[in-house]
Amino acid sequence: VLTSDSVLSRHAILAEESGGAGNDSPWLWIIDPIDGTPPFTNGLPEFGISVGVLLHNSPYIGMIAMPAWHQVLCARRGRGVKLYSFHKRRRKQISLSANPAVPRLDTALIGYDLGYASRGQQLGGVVAKIADKIGYPVSYGSCSTANFRLALGQLGGYFCANPTKFDVAAAAVIIPECGGVVTDMEGNPIDWSKPKVSYLAGRTPELHRALLVAVQS
């Protein structure tokens, strides 16, 4: 159905490896076929496939697949998040807000990524600023991997100063549907109409607020 002419004629598609297609439809598919090129090319399993769908420039559907882990997270705005195996058997539905073991910022693992520009500046700036205020900083070289772990409750938060929309469009649906919070790094809603975005997520509203204060301090 998704590849039929009737559907494609009503949906615009933006793919990182092949560019854009479609019209001025209110539906926009943002597709990253391999998110985490460094780990992928070095034989590590921390890479994913990210598909986000915007409706009227607002995140509406998100999917992150982790091929090496044989797992897929799917979310639809207002409908929650589900974790599937690659055989489409549902394993469990996830709600981060219901997780009884929510760590404080000073004990939580916080993910971050640096992108491909100004890495040294970022390490000497925001990462150095929060390193002693959190449990431990971790980087996977893949936004999809970090957000997948965040959705599962393995990370307390995650941020990236200069991701592409391909990196975070799916997660911008998945994390809020898990009970978390997603904003830009100033604490504002992400403006998807802009060519560049920033991203900061917390697994709970409390962790998001604490991480935002630490990043901005």
Side-chain angles (χ1 to χ4, degrees), residues 103-213:
R104 304 185 312 269
L105 184 66
D106 61 355
T107 61
L109 293 178
I110 301 297
Y112 70 93
D113 279 304
L114 303 173
Y116 294 95
S118 304
R119 291 172 175 170
Q121 181 179 353
Q122 292 180 66
L123 281 171
V126 64
V127 178
K129 186 188 302 182
I130 71 163
D132 293 330
K133 301 176 182 178
I134 63 176
Y136 206 83
V138 293
S139 180
Y140 302 101
S142 165
C143 292
S144 288
T145 299
N147 279 297
F148 198 98
R149 290 190 179 279
L150 180 61
L152 296 182
Q154 297 166 352
L155 297 182
Y158 172 75
F159 65 90
C160 187
N162 56 0
T164 67
K165 295 179 183 179
F166 303 101
D167 296 327
V168 295
V173 183
I174 291 171
I175 301 305
E177 289 301 311
C178 288
V181 177
V182 167
T183 64
D184 65 17
M185 289 186 63
E186 301 297 322
N188 302 312
I190 297 174
D191 186 347
W192 295 94
S193 66
K194 293 183 177 180
K196 294 183 179 181
V197 299
S198 66
Y199 180 90
L200 187 145
R203 64 185 285 191
T204 65
E206 294 77 17
L207 270 170
H208 178 271
R209 283 194 294 270
L211 179 58
L212 182 62
V213 168

Side-chain angles (χ1 to χ4, degrees), residues 76-91:
R76 178 179 171 184
R77 191 170 66 205
R79 301 289 291 271
V81 180
K82 294 182 176 65
L83 175 65
Y84 292 92
S85 76
F86 268 73
H87 300 292
K88 299 183 179 180
R89 293 181 300 179
R90 192 171 77 183
R91 293 184 174 178

Side-chain angles (χ1 to χ4, degrees), residues 51-88:
V51 179
V53 181
L54 306 186
L55 175 59
H56 297 295
N57 225 28
S58 178
Y60 187 70
I61 295 172
M63 184 280 293
I64 297 176
M66 302 300 294
W69 301 348
H70 306 288
Q71 292 181 324
V72 182
L73 276 170
C74 301
R76 178 179 171 184
R77 191 170 66 205
R79 301 289 291 271
V81 180
K82 294 182 176 65
L83 175 65
Y84 292 92
S85 76
F86 268 73
H87 300 292
K88 299 183 179 180

